[in-house]
Amino acid sequence: MPTFDLVVVGSGGGPSELNISAYLLKARDSCWSDGVVGIEAGSGLGALKQILERKPDLFNEGVGEKQVRSYTAPQIYSNVRAFLVSHAHLDHVMGLILLAGTVGGPRKSIRSTRQVLEDLEESIFRPSRIWPNLASWNKDDADHMYLYDPLDFKPEYTRIHKDISVRMMALNHGSDPTPYQSSAFFIRHDPTEQEFLFFGDVEPDSLAKKPLTIDVWRVAAPKIPHRLNTIFIECSYPSGRSNDCLYGHLTPDHLVQELENLAREIVKAKSRTSSAPSNPSSPARKRQRLKSRSNSTNTDDLKGALKGVRVYVMHFKEDMENAYKEPIHVVITRQVKELVEKKCLGAEILAAEQGAHIVI
Ligand SMILES: [Zn+2]
Ligand SMILES: [Zn+2]
């Protein structure tokens, strides 16, 4: 049973300001007017207004016989109760900065690490010179539209809106010049315990000083595919870009390497559960135990390991010079798909396209 509706306001990674990381989420059994969670907020009102000109029915909801409720871009943003932000780079927060002071509705919390919130406060809001100060740490402060509400990297889930909870984990996002962190979110629909996984910008573990993405895969693996079957992850550049010019991002080769890491964790998690019950001394169980102990899973073992998983690729760096004949999200997604098929991993690879309504 699907549990979430997600609308892609922006899925680019810059430099075009018209299409940068921004997603709107609600539980499928609720209405957009019951409250919305923004995941990232690079693009905002302007992008959504343009999308609605092309797709005026995007948020339409049936409200009884033949009656349909529709929403404008400011109405949708006024319903936002929380923005979940992976890191403070402008292509992830620009929309929420510009929105503050324009849209109405209830107070909105910004949920991220304390560091990200302090970066927003110290660089943008408090000096009141780049933007008026419209955010505060005080829960009883209706004068400020935004509430800084920090999240921790901890195993417990934190409720961020009715029926929606989140677990945040740390990611590497390059060194600029000191190591810079981003985050990944496990987003859970509490009544059904169904989840999906959403990545902020991420550096390949193979290039990081201290790999962190593997920890996210280890947490995800035992839930796949029954409790978690959808992953949003970046692939900023097309194939062929050198490792020296990644700036903490993935290419198709690196993304597929990461997906192999996930597949390996799934194989291990399965062999752990299947070797647990009954007859622990049978030869088959012994073989399985040996296999689950070794780190080197044969690539043959990974075949089909990601069956039932949908991977939405996102954060495409715009092709401003028209170097490719097709839109960059089509090019990159096809490159990822071909590599995943070559390795027979079994995952379905899709592009998170601006303006799409994705049912999770
Ligand atoms: Zn970014
Ligand atoms: Zn970034």
Side-chain angles (χ1 to χ4, degrees):
M1 274 289 283
T3 44
F4 288 111
D5 289 300
L6 181 139
V7 166
V8 184
V9 179
S11 60
S16 167
E17 75 284 6
L18 304 172
N19 182 15
I20 35 180
S21 303
Y23 303 80
L24 296 169
L25 179 78
K26 74 167 181 68
R28 193 147 173 74
D29 58 1
S30 72
C31 296
W32 292 104
S33 56
D34 295 333
V36 177
V37 172
I39 311 172
E40 315 283 27
S43 285
L45 266 181
L48 188 57
K49 189 166 180 288
Q50 286 189 342
I51 291 167
L52 285 173
E53 281 161 15
R54 280 192 286 123
K55 296 182 155 187
D57 302 336
L58 190 57
F59 295 96
N60 280 11
E61 293 167 335
V63 282
E65 267 179 58
K66 288 182 191 161
Q67 276 205 313
V68 173
R69 183 191 294 146
S70 62
Y71 299 92
T72 63
Q75 281 168 345
I76 286 291
Y77 272 101
S78 71
N79 289 331
V80 170
R81 304 294 171 88
F83 283 108
L84 203 50
V85 174
S86 66
H87 63 298
H89 280 163
L90 264 187
D91 59 314
H92 297 250
V93 299
M94 193 179 78
L96 77 82
I97 296 166
L98 294 178
L99 277 169
T102 301
V103 297
R107 220 174 157 210
K108 303 162 198 335
S109 51
I110 309 176
R111 310 303 303 261
S112 192
T113 61
R114 183 169 289 276
Q115 177 70 58
V116 165
L117 301 181
E118 285 174 359
D119 288 344
L120 279 175
E121 182 187 34
E122 283 160 26
S123 313
I124 306 284
F125 287 118
R126 196 171 46 186
S128 277
R129 299 189 67 81
I130 291 181
W131 205 243
N133 190 3
L134 295 154
S136 83
W137 297 89
N138 181 355
K139 284 194 194 297
D140 307 307
D141 178 6
D143 291 343
H144 292 86
M145 175 51 99
Y146 290 139
L147 167 69
Y148 299 118
D149 200 350
L151 286 172
D152 297 317
F153 294 125
K154 59 177 186 185
E156 294 79 24
Y157 283 71
T158 304
R159 192 173 174 276
I160 56 164
H161 183 54
K162 184 178 178 292
D163 292 345
I164 302 178
S165 296
V166 65
R167 174 180 177 177
M168 180 175 70
M169 294 185 75
L171 297 174
N172 293 302
H173 183 19
S175 307
D176 189 22
T178 51
Y180 187 82
Q181 275 196 338
S182 165
S183 21
F185 301 110
F186 286 88
I187 299 174
R188 186 181 71 187
H189 181 249
D190 296 330
T192 59
E193 298 201 331
Q194 292 293 310
E195 305 183 28
F196 69 97
L197 176 54
F198 187 98
F199 279 83
D201 296 356
V202 51
E203 174 177 37
D205 261 4
S206 58
L207 303 179
K209 279 205 182 82
K210 182 180 179 286
L212 288 175
T213 309
I214 187 66
D215 297 340
V216 179
W217 296 140
R218 283 186 181 135
V219 171
K223 304 177 185 199
I224 290 175
H226 301 297
R227 274 173 55 202
L228 192 162
N229 63 16
T230 306
I231 298 169
F232 290 81
I233 188 162
E234 74 135 283
C235 191
S236 295
Y237 301 108
S239 295
R241 195 167 171 99
S242 89
N243 286 348
D244 303 336
C245 302
L246 292 184
Y247 313 111
H249 292 294
L250 300 178
T251 61
D253 288 284
H254 287 296
L255 172 52
V256 174
Q257 216 173 57
E258 290 295 342
L259 292 176
E260 281 185 283
N261 291 347
L262 170 62
R264 211 166 281 123
E265 292 305 318
I266 291 174
V267 170
K268 279 193 216 164
K270 278 202 180 126
S271 73
R272 270 197 298 272
T273 41
S274 62
S275 63
S278 66
N279 199 0
S281 55
S282 79
R285 295 276 185 256
K286 272 184 193 156
R287 272 200 306 277
Q288 268 173 346
R289 268 206 310 278
L290 282 174
K291 215 154 93 182
S292 69
R293 251 181 246 157
S294 79
N295 274 331
S296 56
T297 321
N298 191 321
T299 38
D300 270 359
D301 294 346
L302 304 183
K303 280 191 176 152
L306 299 183
K307 202 162 177 284
V309 180
R310 288 189 303 172
V311 178
Y312 282 96
V313 184
M314 58 182 187
H315 202 272
F316 316 99
K317 294 278 182 193
E318 212 77 48
D319 167 25
M320 301 305 280
E321 310 279 351
N322 294 328
Y324 294 88
K325 285 197 192 89
E326 293 168 293
I328 197 68
H329 68 270
V330 174
V331 174
I332 294 176
T333 306
R334 186 172 50 234
Q335 290 175 345
V336 176
K337 205 175 155 142
E338 282 171 5
L339 288 170
V340 166
E341 280 169 6
K342 208 163 115 192
K343 293 182 185 277
C344 304
L345 294 176
E348 188 183 355
I349 306 298
L350 301 151
E353 231 179 301
Q354 186 178 40
H357 171 199
I358 295 171
V359 176
I360 301 168

